[in-house]
Amino acid sequence: MLIDDLKVVLQVAEFKSIKQAAESLDMSVAVASAAVKRVEKAYGVELFVRSTRKLRLSSFGEKYIPQIENALVILNQVGQSAKNEQNIIDGDLRLAVPSDLGRNILLPWIDLFASKHPQLNIRLHITDSTIDFYRDPVDMALRYGAPGDSSMYGFKICDVPRILCASPYYVETYGMPVHLKDLDSHNSLLYQLHDTVHDIWEFSCRGITSKVKMRSNRTANDADIVRRWCVAGYGIAMKSALDMSDDLLSGNLVKLMPEYTPKPTELWLICPSKQLITPMVRLLRESITDKCLTIINSLKKSGYL
């Protein structure tokens, strides 16, 4: 029996399903089932009552699962303390990142981080959807917006301005909007999260905040697609300055309506547990923070912010 076997048992107890536990741990059902059997054999008791469709804790499971959980916490703390003293960066980096930022900005940063720490295993989860740390196979998530769950542990990476922009082709074809009322005659490229289409855009100008409902013929639940549509000239987009930085600095996109400031956002690194805030997490946070601030400063020097 291995410590990893105990982790499998705890996940099975959490999900009440070997299949779901295996998916959350990125392993096969057969491997997860074998781990449970090894633990039960080592203890000489059945921790779960199984049927063809259901699985529940046995009386022994109800008694011993909490003790296993406590024991694992202590073992993890001992192991992490030893690594901290030796400055060892290893193990699995299971990170969720937004689609556009993840593919086009973060990926080379993460590759560089991994090359400096060859004992790391990268498990990258690219999604714009809300992360469920108890079901999704991730230990931390990089997300736009401050965490809404007070039980989470978060590190603010930086403030992120949003930018209203379009391609030079679009501006040449359809004109340059100057005032908010001009937006009525332009096609917007919209982002959708679950059932919510973000078609209300908020701006501030000289201390006055205004909201505009945008019309659109293109909506996507992937922020990367919205950026690509914008570069291709299909409409105007309001997105994170980080997401659009490369295209702005290269001239693929131009900033629109500079007198009007879109509502800004924030970038956060979020963990569900204090035990997951390891030296690896702290180093990753510092690395991402430095690189994000470098981009923001480049956009400021170029007059985009």
Side-chain angles (χ1 to χ4, degrees):
M1 180 183 70
L2 303 172
I3 292 178
D4 285 345
D5 293 342
L6 298 178
K7 294 178 181 178
V8 174
V9 167
L10 290 183
Q11 287 296 93
V12 173
E14 171 73 24
F15 289 107
K16 294 182 173 58
S17 164
I18 292 179
K19 182 174 182 292
Q20 291 183 27
E23 290 174 353
S24 73
L25 294 168
D26 195 23
M27 63 175 58
S28 69
V29 173
V31 170
S33 181
V36 172
K37 290 178 180 177
R38 283 194 294 270
V39 174
E40 290 181 326
K41 183 178 180 180
Y43 289 152
V45 296
E46 288 192 350
L47 299 172
F48 302 99
V49 177
R50 305 164 177 82
S51 67
T52 54
R53 293 187 178 181
K54 295 182 179 180
L55 180 147
R56 63 177 176 83
L57 290 177
S58 67
S59 58
F60 291 107
E62 291 176 352
K63 179 179 180 180
Y64 293 124
I65 291 294
Q67 296 180 35
I68 292 173
E69 187 172 12
N70 291 336
L72 269 180
V73 169
I74 294 172
L75 289 171
N76 287 337
Q77 289 174 344
V78 171
Q80 193 58 58
S81 295
K83 289 180 181 179
N84 291 352
E85 292 181 3
Q86 301 175 65
N87 293 318
I88 295 175
I89 306 298
D90 65 358
D92 290 342
L93 172 57
R94 306 199 311 169
L95 174 67
V97 296
S99 62
D100 198 359
L101 187 70
R103 291 189 184 99
N104 303 299
I105 303 294
L106 287 170
L107 185 57
W109 299 353
I110 292 172
D111 288 339
L112 178 61
F113 186 80
S115 69
K116 293 179 179 179
H117 306 286
Q119 296 182 57
L120 274 181
N121 300 314
I122 306 299
R123 302 285 185 267
L124 201 59
H125 188 67
I126 295 183
T127 178
D128 288 324
S129 298
T130 304
I131 294 296
D132 183 341
F133 286 103
Y134 300 101
R135 293 193 177 274
D136 298 323
V138 298
D139 296 323
M140 67 191 91
L142 201 64
R143 281 290 175 264
Y144 283 121
D149 188 343
S150 60
S151 67
M152 295 293 165
Y153 292 84
F155 300 100
K156 183 178 177 180
I157 300 297
C158 63
D159 293 315
V160 183
R162 286 192 176 99
I163 290 185
L164 185 68
C165 52
S167 70
Y169 165 79
Y170 179 88
V171 172
E172 182 180 349
T173 305
Y174 299 100
M176 176 82 76
V178 178
H179 303 289
L180 292 181
K181 59 183 178 59
D182 298 338
L183 295 177
D184 292 338
S185 60
H186 287 272
N187 186 54
S188 63
L189 305 169
L190 300 179
Y191 170 66
Q192 178 176 348
L193 181 60
H194 304 303
D195 295 329
T196 302
V197 177
H198 293 268
D199 58 355
I200 305 295
W201 290 0
E202 185 174 323
F203 302 87
S204 63
C205 179
R206 301 185 183 93
I208 299 175
T209 299
S210 304
K211 295 182 180 181
V212 180
K213 183 174 177 60
M214 304 299 297
R215 67 176 186 85
S216 174
N217 64 5
R218 290 175 185 258
T219 302
N221 66 346
D222 187 317
D224 185 30
I225 291 177
V226 174
R227 182 191 58 81
R228 294 184 186 208
W229 280 341
C230 190
V231 172
Y234 291 113
I236 62 177
M238 186 171 75
K239 278 176 57 62
S240 150
L242 293 174
D243 290 0
M244 304 305 244
S245 58
D246 284 348
D247 290 310
L248 286 166
L249 294 171
S250 66
N252 291 332
L253 295 174
V254 295
K255 182 178 180 180
L256 306 178
M257 298 170 54
E259 292 186 1
Y260 294 87
T261 303
K263 183 180 179 181
T265 184
E266 302 170 349
L267 187 65
W268 283 72
L269 184 64
I270 304 168
C271 299
S273 168
K274 191 174 182 179
Q275 279 75 32
L276 293 172
I277 303 174
T278 63
M280 173 181 66
V281 173
R282 294 188 178 93
L283 276 178
L284 182 65
R285 176 197 63 184
E286 292 171 4
S287 175
I288 292 175
T289 299
D290 289 344
K291 294 182 184 306
C292 284
L293 292 178
T294 298
I295 289 178
I296 297 295
N297 288 331
S298 294
L299 291 171
K300 287 180 179 179
K301 290 179 181 178
S302 300
Y304 289 106
L305 298 177

